[in-house]
Amino acid sequence: MLWGHASLPGLPAAYLLIDTFFVISGYLVSRSLMQAVADQDVNSTGKLASPLRIFFANRIRRIIIPLAATILLSLTAGWFVFLPDDLFALAQSAEATLLLQAHLYALTLGHYFDVVGGNTPLLHAWSLSLEEWFYIMTPLLVLPALIWSRLGWLVILGAVALLSLYTAQVMSSDPDTLGASYSLLRTRLWQFVVGAIVAILIQSPPHLHRLVNDSILLLAILTIIASVLFLTDKAASPGYVTLPTVFGILVILVLQPQTSALIALTGSVWIGFLGKRIYSLYLMHYPVMIFFDYLEYDLGSLTNHIKFVLALTVSLTFYYAVEAPAQGWRRVTFARVVGLSLVLIAGCFVMIMQIRATGGAPTRLPPEALAAWTARFDTNPARAYCVQPQLTRFGYSCALGPTDGPFYALFGDSHSEVFSTQLARVLAEDGIGLRHYWYAECPVIGSGLAALRVFSDTCTRLSHEGHRAALSDPALAGVIYAARWPWYLNDANPNQMRSYWRDAKGIARNQTSMEAFRSGFISTLTASVHDFKRRGVPVFIMTPVPSLPVDPVKSQVLSLWHGATPAFEQIRYGHDLEDYLLERHIFDELFAPLAQEDLASLIDVRDGLCENAICAVYGALGSLYYDDNHLNETGARRVVSSLLE
């Protein structure tokens, strides 16, 4: 997991080890409770209080102090490093983690694999929240088998696991859920329950010939390795695709190595050393990596390797400083463990309340850095208004400017939203209104979009209904298309692979190749253009906005706050025009025929942003962008004013 989070190559599906984590936990925690019951010689429900008290006390000793310390250290580091909006989000994440809601908070951030590696030091706590809920549920999963009917209860647990697995498969295969299945209790429950079932069912290792035993064990190890090496984060996890990994870890849990070769392989000193420190490694590695990346360190080709070593070193130091004392807090009285936990938790909440009350404590920033930070919020003032479905039942739409006369229809994704206010301003000067139809990561290009079988139902319905509504209205005076066209048309790169509408190979879903998809995409758009031209309505297509290698607002603020960073120096004087032209080359090839045949006119963003060999990133008032690919209102005004006024 550390290797994968450090963005090091070779383990594309390292995330599958989270699946094994839940299975291992279900197995070991269930056995722990069963052992506590056996030690107390419980034979009736009236004598369960003592083993349950021991069980939960052991969980608290093991979990709370290191977790609370991790949260407090993350908040402290965030105070000195994070910009106000990111610090505010960190406080929300910390609060959710303390309240066992980190898995639900993770859902609010979007698809897990779109967020991982971002500005979220406690994102990994989603798995810990689920784990804690599983601990609470463990008595309900295990005790009926001990005090009622083992076989009958195993049948019920099996049905629960199958239902959870089916739910996980359905949700993880549905692009409309946008990865929600990844961190939900009901879609992860089957992995924990499977571990509990095996713990209840198999009390001791089966007696197999040592060669048979170790052959099965070796096959299980190789199965997990193969899954990690050959699957990607586009696999429908945690559904059926995770079954080989789950079965592999169950075999490893049940069978003990018998041959000297396998004993030596699995009994490595390093495996034992790291295994005993796995909790601290998991807790601390991710925050360290996020803060390292946040400061935009660039150490050349070894950057990610250094990040990995740094995270490993800090995590091991954390183990000895926080988790290891008193043999993991076993020798300290339970009252003192709880008291120390409460002190750490109270410290967390004091910081959380301070951060939330001040909106991310912006006064920490020097005045010039604070001024630059405001570019993050220089966004479309009608955004909140436009996310209410007014003109269609599906997706987002709204009317801007005059509403009782001619209007232009604006179709697109979040990049059309960027320009909508400024376009409406210019059109309103001539008494023309603007009707905007948009949905994030959705090319609203026509009624035929559904035929491509690529995009979500919401996207295709919005595209169909918006075009039908515009075509049927006699007041329609013109049409504008604006989108991040390379996002849809270019071959996948590591930053696009996780797009929900691309499959595991990076090709558009249900398509044989990107060439076939592009052909269908342009055919759909061309058909829509022809529909409007037959009405005598002019059609305009905005070229894509240059994408930047880094977030310009963050880079500028960090430079003003902590000193110049390599990332800021990279874009300080602008973005290379040649890189931009390379990014949009497929757009130029595909859209050129529309312009040449006088079917549509191009509104070239390059003319408003780029001069000579450089495309502007910053203006007199700061950044022209609010993230790495969307212009802010200042940038949009610059483009629209220079091209249309």
Side-chain angles (χ1 to χ4, degrees):
M1 289 299 297
L2 268 71
W3 189 268
H5 282 159
S7 301
L8 291 168
L11 300 176
Y15 70 92
L16 282 174
L17 300 179
I18 283 291
D19 300 70
T20 68
F21 171 67
F22 289 133
V23 176
I24 293 170
S25 183
Y27 178 81
L28 295 180
V29 173
S30 296
R31 286 179 64 89
S32 175
L33 178 57
M34 292 165 63
Q35 186 62 50
V37 172
D39 290 344
Q40 295 295 313
D41 193 25
V42 173
N43 54 23
S44 70
T45 57
K47 297 181 179 180
L48 288 175
S50 180
L52 285 176
R53 184 170 59 251
I54 293 171
F55 172 77
F56 284 114
N58 287 338
R59 303 283 77 73
I60 291 172
R61 288 177 182 274
R62 176 87 171 93
I63 293 171
I64 301 300
I65 291 177
L67 177 59
T70 298
I71 296 171
L72 187 58
L73 287 171
S74 296
L75 288 168
T76 302
W79 184 273
F80 292 103
V81 172
F82 271 4
L83 304 190
D85 46 350
D86 294 323
L87 182 62
F88 187 85
L90 174 59
Q92 291 179 307
S93 177
E95 182 178 27
T97 302
L98 290 170
L99 298 177
L100 310 189
Q101 300 296 308
H103 59 299
L104 297 180
Y105 178 79
L107 290 179
T108 67
L109 303 178
H111 196 297
Y112 174 79
F113 291 111
D114 290 334
V115 181
V116 69
N119 307 331
T120 52
L122 297 176
L123 176 65
H124 66 320
W126 71 267
S127 60
L128 300 175
S129 285
L130 287 184
E131 184 76 5
E132 288 153 358
W133 280 109
F134 290 151
Y135 290 160
I136 294 171
M137 296 166 57
T138 298
L140 299 177
L141 297 176
V142 174
L143 293 181
L146 303 182
I147 62 178
W148 177 53
S149 166
R150 177 167 300 196
L151 180 60
W153 187 244
L154 286 174
V155 171
I156 293 174
L157 288 182
V160 170
L162 288 174
L163 179 60
S164 173
L165 173 59
Y166 175 75
T167 302
Q169 176 63 26
V170 170
M171 291 190 66
S172 59
S173 303
D174 182 1
D176 279 328
T177 65
L178 296 177
S181 65
Y182 196 76
S183 56
L184 282 175
L185 185 92
R186 63 179 180 272
T187 56
R188 290 289 184 176
L189 180 62
W190 71 275
Q191 295 170 344
F192 192 87
V193 169
V194 164
I197 289 174
V198 173
I200 295 170
L201 187 62
I202 303 177
Q203 299 294 314
S204 59
H207 298 289
L208 302 173
H209 187 278
R210 67 192 191 105
L211 291 179
V212 174
N213 180 93
D214 281 15
S215 295
I216 296 173
L217 191 55
L218 183 60
L219 179 62
I221 294 172
L222 293 176
T223 298
I224 295 175
I225 293 174
S227 296
V228 170
L229 290 177
F230 298 113
L231 292 175
T232 73
D233 56 28
K234 292 292 291 182
S237 174
Y240 300 155
V241 72
T242 63
L243 286 173
T245 307
V246 168
F247 286 133
I249 200 63
L250 287 173
V251 170
I252 293 171
L253 288 170
V254 171
L255 298 183
Q256 299 295 320
Q258 302 289 327
T259 62
S260 57
L262 202 56
I263 291 174
L265 175 65
T266 58
S268 163
V269 173
W270 281 106
I271 291 177
F273 177 81
L274 295 175
K276 292 176 181 178
R277 294 153 180 81
I278 195 69
Y279 186 43
S280 288
L281 289 173
Y282 189 75
L283 280 176
M284 281 302 296
H285 84 278
Y286 194 68
V288 171
M289 291 181 179
I290 294 301
F291 287 118
F292 182 93
D293 287 340
Y294 196 88
L295 291 172
E296 300 180 340
Y297 288 117
D298 184 359
L299 304 173
S301 60
L302 294 178
T303 298
N304 288 335
H305 295 82
I306 294 172
K307 179 170 64 175
F308 173 81
V309 173
L310 177 64
L312 184 62
T313 302
V314 173
S315 298
L316 291 175
T317 302
F318 179 85
Y319 168 79
Y320 290 109
V322 178
E323 186 183 358
Q327 294 186 353
W329 304 102
R330 290 188 182 93
R331 292 184 177 179
V332 179
T333 63
F334 185 65
R336 291 184 178 179
V337 170
V338 172
L340 179 56
S341 300
L342 292 176
V343 169
L344 291 172
I345 291 172
C348 291
F349 274 112
V350 167
M351 290 200 69
I352 289 169
M353 289 187 291
Q354 174 67 15
I355 293 167
R356 299 194 67 166
T358 57
T363 55
R364 296 172 298 125
L365 275 61
E368 63 275 15
L370 183 60
W373 173 66
T374 60
R376 176 79 78 227
F377 306 97
D378 182 20
T379 58
N380 184 348
R383 169 177 283 194
Y385 162 69
C386 279
V387 298
Q388 301 300 322
Q390 299 175 45
L391 303 178
T392 65
R393 291 182 298 132
F394 306 102
Y396 306 148
S397 58
C398 62
L400 302 172
T403 58
D404 55 354
F407 71 94
Y408 266 60
L410 173 62
F411 298 106
D413 55 15
S414 58
H415 282 260
S416 66
E417 183 268 336
V418 164
F419 288 107
S420 61
T421 302
Q422 297 303 322
L423 289 171
R425 175 181 59 82
V426 172
L427 292 171
E429 294 174 358
D430 294 324
I432 301 174
L434 182 74
R435 295 185 189 174
H436 185 202
Y437 303 82
W438 73 285
Y439 190 61
E441 204 171 327
C442 172
V444 184
I445 56 173
S447 295
L449 188 62
L452 296 179
R453 300 184 304 121
V454 170
F455 299 97
S456 70
D457 203 35
T458 300
C459 173
T460 56
R461 290 185 180 189
L462 169 66
S463 188
H464 168 77
E465 190 167 328
H467 279 78
R468 293 303 95 189
L471 276 168
S472 63
D473 196 318
L476 179 67
V479 172
I480 302 173
Y481 290 96
R484 189 183 179 188
W485 305 110
W487 178 259
Y488 310 104
L489 300 174
N490 288 5
D491 292 328
N493 59 45
N495 294 324
Q496 290 180 303
M497 280 293 289
R498 298 183 184 120
S499 177
Y500 80 89
W501 53 270
R502 291 183 187 263
D503 64 18
K505 297 179 181 179
I507 299 173
R509 292 189 306 116
N510 300 312
Q511 298 288 317
T512 57
S513 67
M514 282 304 295
E515 288 74 15
F517 169 68
R518 290 177 190 129
S519 176
F521 187 99
I522 291 300
S523 295
T524 300
L525 177 60
T526 301
S528 300
V529 171
H530 277 294
D531 286 341
F532 290 121
K533 294 298 285 186
R534 281 192 288 269
R535 279 276 316 273
V537 173
V539 177
F540 301 90
I541 299 174
M542 297 193 72
T543 62
V545 170
S547 298
L548 305 178
V550 296
D551 180 337
V553 175
K554 173 187 164 187
S555 293
Q556 185 180 24
V557 177
L558 289 180
S559 180
L560 293 169
W561 187 13
H562 298 301
T565 66
F568 176 67
E569 292 298 327
Q570 184 178 1
I571 60 172
R572 182 175 186 176
Y573 301 107
H575 183 53
D576 192 278
L577 175 60
E578 185 176 344
D579 291 342
Y580 171 50
L581 295 179
L582 182 63
E583 178 187 21
R584 61 175 269 186
H585 76 281
I586 292 180
F587 167 87
D588 290 333
E589 291 178 1
L590 296 177
F591 285 69
L594 293 174
Q596 292 168 359
E597 297 172 21
D598 200 27
L599 295 174
S601 300
L602 295 184
I603 302 175
D604 200 333
V605 171
R606 176 181 59 178
D607 296 337
L609 283 179
C610 309
E611 293 183 7
N612 300 322
I614 294 296
C615 297
V617 176
Y618 300 104
L621 300 178
S623 176
L624 302 176
Y625 289 73
Y626 68 81
D627 63 15
D628 62 357
N629 65 88
H630 293 87
L631 293 176
N632 59 23
E633 282 296 289
T634 301
R637 178 184 289 272
R638 171 169 172 162
V639 170
V640 172
S641 297
S642 63
L643 297 179
L644 300 183
E645 288 186 342

